[in-house]
Amino acid sequence: MKLTLLLLNSLKGLPARMDHYSRFSPSPLSIKQFLEFGMKSANEKKSFEFLRQELPIRICNMMKEMNLLPEKLLKMPSVKLVNSWYLQTLQDLLEFEDSVNDSPTRERFTESLTTIRNRHANVVETIAQGVLEMREGKWNVDPHEECNIQYFLDRFLMSRISIRMLINQHTLVFGSETNGHSSRHIGSIDPNCDVVSVTQDAYDSARYLCDQYYLASPELEIFTKNGSDPTCGIHMVYVPSHLYHILFEIFKNSMRAVMEHHGVAAEEFPKIKVMVTKGKEDVTIKVSDEGGGIPRSVTDEMFNYMYTTAPSPPKPGTTTIPPLVSLQLLFDN
């Protein structure tokens, strides 16, 4: 909190702008709207006008909520660092608040968005480190404070996804970067995302880590059923990187459970099975393993950010890094 006040006082007019923007609610957006804008009416002027208002609104709302966290968590170095990143980002965005909407300004805006995205690349790991710092500091966290932290992190992580989505769509549609996206992509959205292919990619990445740590890994078996058209594969409109990340984390947890449940000395390991089905309205992905399951006594803790069964992550500067364990596992129960 002291760092926040210090930074706010050093940045002229920023507290008043933060109060102003935090009074507004973020505009709801859907993938359908992103697609329609990107395919039919992609207009950089309109995107600039929208984002220079929308991004400060989302960031100011997030920062206001962050300041409501328990004081003991706000004092953690990693949380202070995250807070300083958002303050700097807000200051960067407000430089365009009253700028003329011309080509040079829009070019600088796109470059600024790229800088902002890179600045916040490690926000999830850093905020997780802040929670670990509080937990390792032997701070007593009462149930009310734990609920506040849980509520904040739910909203914080969802807000971060939406902000990055807005930034990525603008920089990919109107900027010079492609980040490996094919020509059919609309920004980061693939109108014909191959679900099985992304599933296989996520498994391969998780398996590499598992092989590095346990010197073995369970095989993958994928089943598919397309109820809409049995002659076609399973595709959908989605952000491939989001699907990849979700499945990658699930596969990591699944592999760790299988390896530790059966023991690394086992001659073979049961396969991880994935069922991908497509109906008229949705796509369902079911991941099954034989990793021993989850005890009923801890089911209420499964989605609690303060609870994890993973070993503590390594301290900075250490050389032993279990590949299947990361700070983000704190958020992947």
Side-chain angles (χ1 to χ4, degrees), residues 84-306:
S84 69
W85 287 342
Y86 280 104
L87 283 169
Q88 181 61 55
T89 291
L90 180 59
Q91 186 183 29
D92 292 348
L93 290 170
L94 291 181
E95 291 181 8
F96 298 93
E97 189 175 27
D98 300 312
S99 299
V100 176
N101 188 348
D102 56 16
S103 182
T105 299
R106 293 193 297 272
E107 185 175 344
R108 286 192 301 107
F109 181 71
T110 301
E111 292 173 355
S112 182
L113 290 184
T114 300
T115 300
I116 289 169
R117 185 186 60 208
N118 294 339
R119 177 186 299 141
H120 292 266
N122 297 318
V123 160
V124 174
E125 295 91 331
T126 309
I127 202 74
Q129 179 63 42
V131 175
L132 286 174
E133 289 166 357
M134 182 183 68
R135 192 167 65 182
E136 293 174 355
K138 308 302 180 184
W139 291 88
N140 292 322
V141 180
D142 61 48
H144 177 69
E145 289 175 324
E146 187 169 325
C147 285
N148 285 346
I149 294 172
Q150 183 79 16
Y151 177 78
F152 165 75
L153 289 174
D154 279 342
R155 293 173 61 84
F156 175 80
L157 296 173
M158 288 296 293
S159 181
R160 179 179 182 274
I161 291 171
S162 66
I163 289 171
R164 287 183 70 83
M165 184 73 180
L166 288 168
I167 290 175
N168 283 336
Q169 286 303 109
H170 184 89
T171 56
L172 289 171
V173 172
F174 303 112
S176 58
E177 60 184 57
T178 61
N179 284 352
H181 291 83
S182 71
S183 58
R184 73 167 182 261
H185 283 70
I186 308 300
S188 59
I189 302 170
D190 186 350
N192 196 38
C193 178
D194 187 334
V195 178
V196 173
S197 177
V198 175
T199 301
Q200 186 67 54
D201 287 345
Y203 165 80
D204 290 341
S205 298
R207 183 181 189 179
Y208 173 79
L209 295 181
C210 190
D211 286 337
Q212 291 288 307
Y213 188 55
Y214 294 107
L215 303 181
S217 58
E219 297 288 338
L220 174 68
E221 191 170 6
I222 301 178
F223 305 90
T224 63
K225 184 174 180 61
N226 190 335
S228 299
D229 186 351
T231 64
C232 294
I234 297 181
H235 299 81
M236 65 177 178
V237 179
Y238 208 71
V239 181
S241 60
H242 289 184
L243 180 60
Y244 170 89
H245 182 76
I246 293 167
L247 290 169
F248 175 62
E249 295 297 333
I250 291 174
F251 281 134
K252 281 199 303 180
N253 290 350
S254 183
M255 289 179 184
R256 172 174 167 249
V258 170
M259 299 305 295
E260 295 184 359
H261 181 69
H262 293 273
V264 293
E267 294 184 1
E268 60 179 358
F269 301 94
K271 295 179 179 180
I272 295 174
K273 298 180 179 180
V274 176
M275 171 65 79
V276 183
T277 62
K278 182 176 183 178
K280 292 182 179 180
E281 298 182 354
D282 50 32
V283 172
T284 302
I285 304 174
K286 178 183 178 181
V287 180
S288 305
D289 62 56
E290 297 181 34
I294 300 171
R296 186 177 295 274
S297 59
V298 301
T299 53
D300 290 342
E301 304 286 347
M302 284 173 56
F303 297 101
N304 188 333
Y305 296 110
M306 301 291 287

